[in-house]
Structure formats: structure tokens, C-alpha cells
């Protein structure tokens, strides 16, 4: 009987430790941590236009099909069917996902995304989307680098900060 009591005691300590209410250092600072996301890979055969074709920084949080249709458009670079894949990727279930999309003005013609992450701050109920764009060597012409990810649905009053850096 004594061994059973010891075993129950040890089991109790393990359960309390595993489900402790004590906050970690990150939680005390309000940081929940990295959020899983689904990157959207944009096609070369279709230009994705964010708001307009102006070469400028623009960042959007889109929570509905109506917002998507108002702010995002496509232009094929190869003919009638060039945007079919892009339009499929942007058929989003906004009951499950929020779209984070933007354009970053870069000083050369092309670039590539070399890393990206999304961090949730629980204390302020905000998100920070960070990305680094490696600007490729090439001819100098101002252009936009377009990026997009899907995250689990967030409310319209949630703050999203964009920290998008372009490096050479």
C-alpha cells in the first residue's frame, strides 16, 4: 500500500509539473512565440498587383473575400491562362485564415525571400510578420517584391506589424 501511495505522489508531481500554471519567461514578456503559417508562392506567369502598380511599400491584413477583391488583382504575363494557378492560391477560406500580403520597393529588378516568421505577442494580442528579401544582382530598376502568407484567422482589431527588410 505504501508503494502505491508513493507512486500516486510521484504521478501527481509529474502531472502538476506538466500542467503548471506558472508562466514562462516568454509568457511574462507577452510573447507566445512563432505562429505556423502557409507561404503563398507567386507565379512568374502572373503578376500579383497589391492595391496598385505604384512602386512603393504597402502591407495588408485581409480577412474577407471582399477585401481581397478590392485590393488584389492579377495580370497574366503569358496569355489567358497565366493566372489560373494564382487565382486558385488566393481562393481562401476566410473563416479559417487571414491573408498577410504586401509589396516592398526594392532597388534592383529581382529579389528572393530568404526567411520569414510570424511571432504572436499574447500580452498585446499583436503579431509581427518579419521577412528578409535578398535583392539579386542585376540591372538597376525600381520594382516591387510581392510576398504573401496565410495565418490562422485573426480578428479585424488585431494589430499586425510588418518588419520587411531588403538586403544586398
Amino acid at each position: 500500500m505504501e508503494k502505491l501511495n508513493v507512486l500516486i505522489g510521484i504521478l501527481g508531481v509529474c502531472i502538476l509539473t506538466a500542467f503548471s500554471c506558472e508562466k514562462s519567461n516568454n509568457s511574462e514578456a507577452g510573447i507566445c512565440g512563432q505562429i505556423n503559417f502557409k507561404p503563398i508562392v507567386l507565379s512568374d506567369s502572373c503578376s500579383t498587383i497589391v492595391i496598385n502598380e505604384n512602386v512603393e511599400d504597402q502591407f495588408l491584413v485581409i480577412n474577407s473575400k471582399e477585401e481581397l477583391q478590392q485590393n488584389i488583382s492579377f495580370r497574366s504575363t503569358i496569355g489567358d491562362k497565366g493566372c489560373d494557378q494564382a487565382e486558385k492560391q488566393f481562393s481562401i477560406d476566410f473563416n479559417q485564415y487571414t491573408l498577410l500580403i504586401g509589396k516592398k520597393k526594392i532597388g534592383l529588378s529581382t529579389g528572393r525571400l530568404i526567411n520569414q516568421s510570424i511571432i504572436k505577442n499574447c500580452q498585446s494580442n499583436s503579431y509581427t510578420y518579419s521577412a528578409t528579401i535578398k535583392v539579386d544582382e542585376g540591372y538597376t530598376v525600381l520594382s516591387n517584391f510581392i510576398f504573401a502568407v496565410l495565418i490562422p484567422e485573426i480578428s479585424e482589431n488585431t494589430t499586425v506589424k510588418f518588419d520587411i527588410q531588403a538586403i544586398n
Side-chain angles (χ1 to χ4, degrees):
M1 187 69 166
E2 188 177 322
K3 287 182 181 181
L4 181 60
N5 286 339
V6 170
L7 183 59
I8 289 172
I10 292 172
L11 183 60
V13 170
C14 290
I15 289 172
L16 286 175
T17 302
F19 296 102
S20 171
C21 292
E22 185 179 322
K23 294 180 178 180
S24 70
N25 289 338
N26 282 345
S27 293
E28 288 173 7
I31 298 171
C32 289
Q34 255 184 296
I35 302 299
N36 291 330
F37 61 91
K38 295 180 181 181
I40 294 180
V41 179
L42 302 172
S43 169
D44 290 337
S45 64
C46 181
S47 294
T48 303
I49 301 166
V50 178
I51 301 176
N52 56 43
E53 294 188 73
N54 295 347
V55 178
E56 61 190 356
D57 293 349
Q58 289 281 342
F59 311 116
L60 300 173
V61 177
I62 297 181
N63 281 309
S64 70
K65 185 175 182 177
E66 293 76 25
E67 287 179 87
L68 179 69
Q69 291 171 337
Q70 289 172 1
N71 294 296
I72 308 300
S73 59
F74 306 100
R75 187 180 63 237
S76 176
T77 58
I78 62 167
D80 293 344
K81 302 282 185 196
C83 289
D84 288 353
Q85 179 68 21
E87 290 172 2
K88 282 182 189 175
Q89 284 189 301
F90 284 94
S91 293
I92 298 165
D93 179 356
F94 286 104
N95 291 317
Q96 290 188 346
Y97 297 103
T98 293
L99 173 65
L100 305 182
I101 188 167
K103 60 182 178 178
K104 176 75 175 169
K105 178 173 69 173
I106 60 175
L108 293 173
S109 60
T110 61
R112 56 192 157 85
L113 201 55
I114 58 173
N115 70 39
Q116 58 186 338
S117 66
I118 300 170
I119 305 293
K120 180 177 182 183
N121 182 310
C122 289
Q123 187 175 18
S124 64
N125 190 32
S126 65
Y127 292 77
T128 300
Y129 173 41
S130 300
T132 304
I133 302 161
K134 172 75 170 129
V135 179
D136 296 327
E137 300 279 331
Y139 57 92
T140 302
V141 61
L142 290 177
S143 63
N144 287 321
F145 184 88
I146 311 294
F147 53 88
V149 296
L150 293 176
I151 63 171
E153 181 188 23
I154 60 175
S155 66
E156 289 185 20
N157 61 351
T158 302
T159 301
V160 177
K161 300 172 192 156
F162 289 83
D163 179 18
I164 312 301
Q165 305 295 318
I167 62 171
N168 292 327

